[in-house]
Amino acid sequence: MKLRERYDGVISWFSENMPVAESELHYDNPYQLLVSVILSAQCTDKRVNMTTPALFEKYPVPELMAQAEPEEVYEYIKSISYPNNKAKNLVGMARKLVSEFNSVVPDDVGLLQTLPGVGRKTANVVAAVIYNKYVMPVDTHVFRVSARIGLTRGAKTPLQTELQLTKYIPAELLPLAHHWLILHGRYVCNARKPQCGECGISRWCKYREKSLKGEDTIKD
């Protein structure tokens, strides 16, 4: 199967069957999403959503978090992975957000990455989800699923995956496609045991093609 055909099939199926796909993180404004995405690094959205209500009640705006010390923030996020580093990053992020951006989360990926704790993936998530920027955030699900399906070839880093996906997915679909791949990886294309029998895009999946060829070889 040609790569363009694979992309066309996958995009067409998701467009028809999942026209609405959104982040599973709970947030009410750009500041809260930014905090949540920073916390979600190497941690599940479910755990983050269990943690943030108390955190946001204590620090509802960046000005209040900017006045806190990392040790204080730590007490609210200690059930999250790497709480010490994330507490430092959250306070640093809030202080810079207040001092340099007038407490407004920037919509530019480059500016977002100047904030403590914000890498390319986090910046892309905020830009895509809040500002509908035509960017492709690549987390572990997107990296794994896109390779397994066959949408990427030989990508060794998240950036390489991002560049390949943005080359073939129409720009206006990138914010939505990001969620397609994440949700597909969480609920269908599981890391250890993909549910190929329940997968709507299996006919365009490289992994499924290899599995079927293997079955044919065994039968012969």
Side-chain angles (χ1 to χ4, degrees):
M1 182 182 296
K2 294 182 179 180
L3 185 60
R4 182 73 268 174
E5 181 182 357
R6 196 182 305 278
Y7 268 94
D8 288 346
V10 169
I11 292 171
S12 177
W13 188 89
F14 276 120
S15 295
E16 181 177 349
N17 293 276
M18 198 183 293
V20 177
E22 301 174 337
S23 173
E24 294 188 312
L25 291 170
H26 298 165
Y27 65 94
D28 292 326
N29 53 57
Y31 157 71
Q32 289 188 0
L33 178 65
L34 179 55
V35 170
S36 295
V37 179
I38 290 174
L39 291 175
S40 72
Q42 299 185 46
C43 187
T44 65
D45 286 2
K46 181 178 180 180
R47 170 55 60 183
V48 173
N49 289 336
M50 292 170 61
T51 303
T52 50
L55 180 69
F56 292 150
E57 183 177 358
K58 179 67 176 181
Y59 308 109
V61 292
E63 290 87 349
L64 290 176
M65 185 172 284
Q67 296 171 15
E69 294 299 326
E71 295 77 12
E72 297 174 283
V73 174
Y74 170 87
E75 292 301 319
Y76 290 88
I77 66 168
K78 56 187 177 183
S79 64
I80 296 283
S81 58
Y82 306 105
N84 286 301
N85 286 336
K86 290 178 179 178
K88 293 177 183 177
N89 285 334
L90 288 179
V91 171
M93 176 277 292
R95 289 175 179 174
K96 189 164 186 175
L97 197 62
V98 171
S99 64
E100 297 187 23
F101 297 99
N102 197 29
S103 300
V104 177
V105 176
D107 63 358
D108 179 79
V109 169
L111 291 177
L112 281 164
Q113 289 183 83
T114 66
L115 298 170
V118 179
R120 186 176 182 88
K121 185 267 291 185
T122 297
N124 279 342
V125 169
V126 173
V129 174
I130 296 297
Y131 300 111
N132 199 38
K133 295 287 185 177
Y134 297 162
V135 293
M136 170 56 73
V138 177
D139 67 354
T140 54
H141 288 298
V142 174
F143 183 82
R144 173 179 58 80
V145 170
S146 58
R148 177 181 275 173
I149 294 171
L151 299 180
T152 58
R153 297 176 175 178
K156 302 296 183 183
T157 66
L159 179 58
Q160 290 175 350
T161 294
E162 178 186 336
L163 294 176
Q164 291 188 41
L165 293 174
T166 54
K167 180 179 179 180
Y168 289 97
I169 298 175
E172 67 276 11
L173 289 179
L174 288 173
L176 184 59
H178 158 64
H179 294 304
W180 286 341
L181 294 173
I182 286 180
L183 296 174
H184 192 66
R186 282 181 184 164
Y187 300 112
V188 180
C189 195
N190 310 121
R192 294 185 179 181
K193 191 176 181 181
Q195 302 173 44
C196 297
E198 301 175 15
C199 178
I201 63 170
S202 60
R203 74 190 76 175
W204 301 286
C205 178
K206 186 176 182 180
Y207 176 85
R208 182 59 172 166
E209 286 178 359
K210 290 183 177 180
S211 298
L212 290 175
K213 288 180 180 179
E215 291 175 5
D216 290 341
T217 300
I218 293 174
K219 290 178 181 178
D220 290 342

